[in-house]
């Protein structure tokens, strides 16, 4: 039996599934017996609108809580709309540490790099590995703090590994600044509850819209 919207998390991501609860699904089924195509259209629109609503609110809340540009959070959110014949929409959220350079506009200073409200003493902003510049620090620097460079392991002479890169054959190992998103895990439950309530609200609106269309059609007939 359907239990409504639900979520699950892994070490690197979270996934919220949007679907009607058992009671709501029964009411929907009763209406669908009368006008099946209209009911299906109403449900599809309601779930897809809820996905869009949830994506916007999660991006806004995480951005505000973690001091991250909203566009950077939205890049970690991926909505999967309802497909034909299905009753579920999904919202995927990658919660691996986010490169600090993507949380705002990095600025190089004499003492290090600043981006938003974060300061990385002794760091530098440049293109070291890949096609884009990032915020790096030598691990031997007195300013190095492991908490500012999460999810990293020292790389060997073979090259980069999990955010670290060996420079000059590992004589000067570097770490890439990242921002942990672990604090968002406890929020998945509250987001899912809010999505459930929002889905019911929108579903009622969409069903009413379809019902009014159906009644107007019958009146003309």
């Amino acid at each position: 039996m359907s239990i409504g919207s639900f979520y699950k998390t892994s070490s690197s991501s979270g996934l919220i599934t949007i679907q009607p609860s058992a009671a709501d699904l029964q009411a929907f089924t009763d209406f669908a017996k009368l006008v099946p195509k209209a009911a299906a259209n109403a449900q599809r629109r309601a779930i897809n609108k809820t996905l869009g609503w949830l994506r916007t609110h999660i991006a806004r809340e995480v951005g505000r809580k973690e001091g991250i540009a909203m566009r950077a959070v939205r890049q970690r959110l991926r909505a999967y709309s309802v497909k034909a014949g299905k009753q579920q929409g999904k919202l995927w959220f990658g919660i691996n540490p986010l490169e600090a350079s993507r949380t705002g506009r990095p600025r190089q200073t004499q003492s290090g790099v600043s981006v938003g409200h974060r300061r990385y003493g002794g760091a530098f902003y440049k293109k070291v590995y890949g096609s884009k510049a990032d915020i790096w620090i030598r691990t031997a620097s007195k300013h190095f703090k492991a908490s500012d460079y999460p999810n990293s392991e020292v790389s060997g002479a073979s090259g980069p590994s999990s955010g670290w890169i060996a420079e000059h054959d590992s004589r000067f190992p570097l770490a890439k600044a990242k921002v942990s998103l672990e604090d968002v895990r406890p929020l998945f439950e509250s987001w899912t509850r809010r999505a459930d309530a929002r889905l019911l609200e929108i579903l009622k609106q969409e069903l009413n819209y379809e019902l009014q269309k159906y009644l107007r059609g019958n009146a003309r007939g």
Side-chain angles (χ1 to χ4, degrees), residues 2-7 15-22 47 50 54 88-89 189 191-200:
S2 167
I3 58 171
S5 301
F6 61 92
Y7 73 95
L15 186 69
I16 296 178
T17 297
I18 307 298
Q19 64 180 13
S21 66
I47 292 177
T50 302
L54 189 60
Q88 292 183 342
E189 183 176 356
W191 284 332
T192 303
R193 287 199 306 268
R194 289 161 62 189
D196 244 354
R198 182 63 175 172
L199 175 60
L200 178 57

Side-chain angles (χ1 to χ4, degrees), residues 47-212:
I47 292 177
N48 290 340
K49 286 181 179 181
T50 302
L51 284 174
W53 175 88
L54 189 60
R55 186 170 185 257
T56 296
H57 280 265
I58 288 179
R60 185 178 298 158
E61 185 173 351
V62 173
R64 181 174 60 248
K65 184 177 185 297
E66 301 295 338
I68 298 172
M70 195 170 165
R71 65 179 181 277
V73 183
R74 288 180 70 88
Q75 290 173 357
R76 286 295 187 90
L77 291 160
R78 191 172 304 151
Y80 296 91
S81 300
V82 179
K83 296 185 180 299
K86 302 295 184 180
Q87 295 180 331
Q88 292 183 342
K90 297 179 183 292
L91 183 69
W92 177 90
F93 186 13
I95 53 180
N96 277 335
L98 178 69
E99 287 83 355
S101 59
R102 293 172 54 192
T103 65
R105 180 177 297 178
R107 291 180 173 82
Q108 181 73 59
T109 67
Q110 289 185 339
S111 60
V113 179
S114 64
V115 53
H117 69 274
R118 294 182 173 84
R119 303 291 181 271
Y120 297 94
F124 54 91
Y125 180 63
K126 66 178 292 188
K127 193 183 302 181
V128 175
Y129 176 73
S131 59
K132 297 182 180 179
D134 268 306
I135 301 171
W136 301 88
I137 192 172
R138 286 186 171 84
T139 57
S141 170
K142 64 180 182 180
H143 299 287
F144 173 71
K145 292 191 302 181
S147 59
D148 288 337
Y149 305 86
N151 198 36
S152 299
E153 297 177 358
V154 177
S155 62
S158 59
S161 173
S162 300
W164 294 67
I165 183 170
E167 185 181 57
H168 304 310
D169 296 324
S170 291
R171 286 177 294 172
F172 301 102
L174 304 177
K176 183 192 295 185
K178 294 185 178 183
V179 176
S180 174
L181 296 179
E182 283 296 308
D183 287 347
V184 309
R185 287 182 181 275
L187 300 177
F188 275 98
E189 183 176 356
S190 64
W191 284 332
T192 303
R193 287 199 306 268
R194 289 161 62 189
D196 244 354
R198 182 63 175 172
L199 175 60
L200 178 57
E201 178 184 350
I202 298 177
L203 184 56
K204 288 178 179 178
Q205 295 171 359
E206 295 297 334
L207 286 173
N208 183 63
Y209 170 75
E210 292 293 343
L211 178 59
Q212 294 307 315

